[in-house]
Amino acid sequence: MARSNRENAAATRARILTSAQQLIRHRGLHCVTVDDVARAIGMTRGAVYGHFRSRAELLGALLSCAEADFATRLAPLARSGSGPGALERALAALLQGDDLARHVSLLAALLQHKCGDACELCPLRTRVLRAVGTLRATFTELLPAPSLAGLLVAHLWGLLSAHAMHLAPSGLSGCAAALAHLYQGHGVAPDAALSVSLSCRPDATFDPPLVRDTP
């Protein structure tokens, strides 16, 4: 009985997180409340608070999901080291599938957050910045010039953001080889970066972008 209750609680928690993630992706973080999340899955606000004591705790759980996704994708790199092909493997792992794009709206909102009087988001923003720093440090070990690491992180963010808005094709892992060649060969220039982004899947179809009503 206790096991069944735990499983039910875990399933409900997962439903709440999925609802929040989808609403944030379609409407933007600052336009989503706990009431919205509860309403989307037919729950009461009190029932949601039974799993998450505050909106900040709910958002923190979503951020933990994003952190876990990134960590899982980078784990093989830590085991295989920084030998030949390591950069391409890292990029392919990060861009494999479409799952990372689901986190973009949350991460973008936290990065753009400006602290107010009663701030619940600053600690979460700090976590995102720390993770970005870790990713940049990882790429620094794999690139011929440390200064390229920040540019590569920004390039990846642009690809994931475009994909999240349905402005880039699925299957971004097809970009890994081209990106690795571009950055390891020092051939980084705006026109080159654009050509890599557009040539990842030349046969892919594009969907219309999602409309957001964030401020």
Side-chain angles (χ1 to χ4, degrees):
M1 184 68 177
R3 178 179 177 181
S4 177
N5 289 338
R6 287 196 299 270
E7 290 175 349
N8 290 338
T12 300
R13 179 184 173 90
R15 286 180 61 214
I16 294 170
L17 290 173
T18 299
S19 172
Q21 191 174 69
Q22 290 175 345
L23 286 172
I24 290 170
R25 182 170 181 178
H26 286 270
R27 295 173 52 182
L29 173 62
H30 299 292
C31 296
V32 175
T33 66
V34 172
D35 283 335
D36 295 326
V37 174
R39 193 179 305 114
I41 52 177
M43 295 180 65
T44 65
R45 184 170 121 179
V48 174
Y49 278 123
H51 292 270
F52 301 97
R53 292 172 294 180
S54 65
R55 181 173 180 265
E57 187 174 298
L58 172 58
L59 297 178
L62 284 175
L63 181 55
S64 293
C65 292
E67 292 168 338
D69 275 357
F70 276 94
T72 298
R73 289 163 184 268
L74 289 175
L77 177 63
R79 294 192 294 268
S80 62
S82 56
L87 178 61
E88 183 177 340
R89 290 195 300 273
L91 293 171
L94 283 171
L95 296 173
Q96 181 65 40
D98 301 334
D99 288 346
L100 285 186
R102 63 183 175 164
H103 304 302
V104 164
S105 295
L106 173 66
L107 299 178
L110 292 175
L111 287 171
Q112 295 166 8
H113 168 65
K114 295 181 179 178
C115 186
D117 293 334
C119 181
E120 60 178 9
L121 300 183
C122 278
L124 302 182
R125 182 176 187 271
T126 298
R127 283 170 57 182
V128 175
L129 291 173
R130 189 182 304 123
V132 171
T134 299
L135 186 60
R136 186 184 298 116
T138 298
F139 284 133
T140 296
E141 298 296 321
L142 303 175
L143 290 166
S147 60
L148 294 175
L151 182 60
L152 178 53
V153 170
H155 197 155
L156 287 171
W157 176 254
L159 286 171
L160 290 171
S161 298
H163 176 57
M165 297 179 68
H166 292 203
L167 295 174
S170 59
L172 290 178
S173 58
C175 300
L179 280 173
H181 177 76
L182 178 67
Y183 280 86
Q184 288 181 320
H186 291 269
V188 183
D191 56 343
L194 178 61
S195 67
V196 169
S197 300
L198 294 179
S199 64
C200 294
R201 286 279 304 278
D203 59 337
T205 57
F206 290 75
D207 295 319
L210 298 174
V211 177
R212 290 178 174 77
D213 57 359
T214 47

